[in-house]
């Protein structure tokens, strides 16, 4: 457990006013996001069959919460880590045409999460997915999608400031784009997280591309599952990857804050390439992977955007527990209470 409370930190809103603020921000952002990307809302599952291949494997080491289903012969189900693959199946099932997509409220439990100011056992995010054309699998198209999402964030920050004038806007007008390899070359002696810190502090808002693939020195900026984002595609700039993360500078915590992980999804060729690179070819036996490899899934772009993280950033909170109901270690609750911070 790690906890940092800035000296003299005081919440910008009273506890009784926080719920209305959270409601306003969530309603505003999802409306802005839906309009920017032409998305419609759908209902999503809390759990999927463990043998379906639909759950997000994250970095491959996190244990999903699972349980046997009595009325189905004890077939096991898993609480989702995210809906990256499920959404793409729904694009196909709903026959959503290129240029349109869907979004949903995704709720997850990540029991192996290391708890701190921004990490919780409970994950809530807007999971979204959009059908694209094969020719849209480019860095330029990805960058346009990122700018649209950032525009929704700017619009939500403006509403926050109009409603709560004592919370000034801090986001830069434009988001900066940088590749993980460029950060490695500039800061070779820093860890990936330290590079993220330098980039977010320098630019205020940054999209780091190419997360998951090997860099020039053989390392990886961070782990990514091999079967949804395309992190290995060669690009005209001599680099690789059609995915990345949106990070902003959190002045309250004096640290970067990741708000979104997203990317253009793998096509059959990229799926096979990345499964081979990660030694996961056995996944081709799973229903989702078989369908994807056979070309039965539409080309897509998608990602997740943290709901509680967005709220804690825009409301200048020091702890995600100020905007989210979850479970916290007793010592963390006590230390926060001593500092006047109420965890829900």
């Amino acid at each position: 457990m790690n906890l940092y409370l800035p000296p003299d930190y005081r919440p910008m809103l009273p506890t009784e006013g926080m719920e209305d603020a959270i409601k306003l921000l969530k309603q505003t952002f999802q409306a802005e996001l839906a309009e920017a990307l032409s998305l419609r809302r759908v209902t999503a599952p809390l759990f999927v069959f463990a043998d379906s291949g639909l759950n997000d494997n994250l970095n491959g080491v996190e244990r999903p919460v699972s349980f046997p289903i009595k009325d189905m012969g004890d077939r096991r189900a898993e609480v989702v880590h995210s809906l990256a693959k499920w959404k793409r199946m729904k694009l196909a099932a709903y026959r959503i045409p290129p240029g349109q997509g869907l979004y949903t409220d995704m709720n997850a439990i990540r029991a192996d999460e290391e708890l701190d100011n921004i990490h919780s056992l409970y994950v809530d995010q807007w999971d979204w997915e959009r059908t694209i054309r094969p020719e849209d699998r480019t860095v330029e198209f990805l960058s346009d999608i990122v700018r649209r999402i950032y525009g929704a964030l700017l619009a939500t920050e403006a509403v926050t400031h109009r409603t709560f004038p004592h919370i000034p806007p801090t986001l830069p007008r434009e988001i900066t784009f940088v590749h993980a390899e460029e950060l490695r070359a500039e800061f070779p002696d820093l860890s990936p997280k330290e590079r993220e810190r330098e980039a977010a502090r320098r630019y205020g808002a940054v999209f780091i591309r190419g997360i998951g693939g090997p860099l020039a020195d053989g390392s990886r900026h961070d782990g990514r599952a091999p079967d949804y984002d395309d992190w290995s595609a060669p690009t005209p700039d001599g680099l690789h990857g059609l995915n990345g993360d949106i990070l902003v500078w959190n002045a309250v915590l004096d640290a970067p804050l990741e708000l979104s992980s997203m990317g253009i999804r793998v096509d059959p060729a990229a799926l096979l390439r990345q499964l081979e690179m990660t030694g996961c070819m056995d996944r081709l036996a799973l229903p989702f992977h078989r369908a994807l490899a056979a070309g039965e899934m539409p080309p897509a772009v998608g990602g997740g955007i943290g709901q509680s993280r967005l709220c804690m950033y825009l409301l200048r909170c020091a702890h995600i527990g100020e905007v989210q109901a979850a479970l916290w270690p007793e010592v963390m609750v006590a230390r926060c209470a001593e500092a006047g911070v109420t965890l829900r």
Side-chain angles (χ1 to χ4, degrees):
M1 181 200 80
N2 294 306
L3 176 65
Y4 167 68
L5 294 175
D8 303 321
Y9 170 74
R10 292 294 180 270
M12 300 295 283
L13 295 174
T15 303
E16 60 272 18
M18 190 68 77
E19 295 292 353
D20 287 337
I22 294 169
K23 178 182 177 181
L24 172 66
L25 267 58
K26 289 188 176 183
Q27 288 180 336
T28 300
F29 182 79
Q30 67 181 340
E32 293 286 345
L33 178 70
E35 182 176 358
L37 297 182
S38 298
L39 309 176
R40 57 172 166 164
R41 191 186 184 283
V42 300
T43 301
L46 177 60
F47 39 81
V48 295
F49 285 122
D51 56 7
S52 66
L54 282 177
N55 207 354
D56 182 354
N57 296 97
L58 301 177
N59 286 315
V61 297
E62 296 88 349
R63 299 169 300 170
V65 175
S66 65
F67 56 92
I69 305 172
K70 179 180 179 181
D71 210 31
M72 296 184 185
D74 281 347
R75 186 179 181 185
R76 296 199 71 81
E78 294 178 348
V79 176
V80 297
H81 276 150
S82 85
L83 295 167
K85 303 168 193 172
W86 178 89
K87 293 175 298 177
R88 193 166 180 185
M89 287 189 64
K90 290 306 173 183
L91 289 181
Y94 297 155
R95 298 181 181 178
I96 296 179
Q100 299 179 31
L102 54 83
Y103 79 96
T104 189
D105 289 304
M106 192 284 297
N107 298 288
I109 300 172
R110 297 183 182 173
D112 289 338
E113 199 71 79
E114 295 183 9
L115 306 181
D116 56 25
N117 293 67
I118 64 173
H119 292 96
S120 168
L121 299 175
Y122 170 61
V123 178
D124 58 339
Q125 65 184 31
W126 291 286
D127 255 341
W128 63 273
E129 202 84 3
R130 190 173 189 250
T131 306
I132 64 176
R133 304 167 301 170
E135 57 265 34
D136 292 330
R137 293 175 48 78
T138 66
V139 174
E140 292 74 20
F141 181 85
L142 175 65
S143 299
D144 177 66
I145 294 293
V146 171
R147 291 189 181 97
R148 291 175 185 233
I149 295 171
Y150 190 68
L153 179 57
L154 285 172
T156 307
E157 183 185 54
V159 169
T160 304
H161 179 53
R162 287 198 298 269
T163 308
F164 309 106
H166 66 291
I167 304 179
T170 59
L171 288 170
R173 299 311 301 171
E174 302 287 341
I175 187 169
T176 299
F177 294 84
V178 63
H179 194 281
E181 178 60 38
E182 295 171 327
L183 286 181
R184 187 205 65 81
E186 183 174 4
F187 305 108
D189 297 327
L190 299 184
S191 70
K193 291 304 177 185
E194 290 170 335
R195 295 170 200 158
E196 289 183 356
R197 178 182 179 85
E198 291 300 318
R201 180 166 54 186
R202 176 186 299 176
Y203 300 116
V206 61
F207 180 76
I208 301 177
R209 181 167 66 89
I211 295 180
L215 302 176
D217 62 355
S219 67
R220 295 175 187 265
H221 185 87
D222 199 359
R224 284 294 184 275
D227 43 16
Y228 55 96
D229 282 351
D230 187 339
W231 39 255
S232 63
T235 52
D237 54 8
L239 301 170
H240 292 79
L242 295 171
N243 74 321
D245 290 347
I246 296 175
L247 295 95
V248 296
W249 181 249
N250 185 337
V252 174
L253 297 178
D254 193 37
L257 181 66
E258 178 190 320
L259 293 181
S260 177
S261 176
M262 57 170 289
I264 291 175
R265 305 311 198 187
V266 291
D267 59 9
L271 172 68
L272 295 175
R273 179 172 63 244
Q274 293 182 181
L275 289 179
E276 184 174 4
M277 291 173 69
T278 55
C280 295
M281 294 297 287
D282 58 311
R283 295 189 190 180
L284 288 175
L286 298 171
F288 172 83
H289 299 74
R290 287 200 306 268
L292 205 165
E296 297 172 7
M297 297 289 177
V301 61
I305 302 167
Q307 296 187 13
S308 291
R309 285 196 180 186
L310 183 143
C311 290
M312 74 171 290
Y313 173 77
L314 292 178
L315 297 176
R316 308 294 184 255
C317 297
H319 197 289
I320 197 169
E322 295 177 71
V323 296
Q324 178 196 96
L327 299 178
W328 309 101
E330 291 183 5
V331 63
M332 181 179 285
V333 174
R335 287 180 56 190
C336 286
E338 291 173 359
V341 177
T342 302
L343 301 187
R344 297 173 184 272

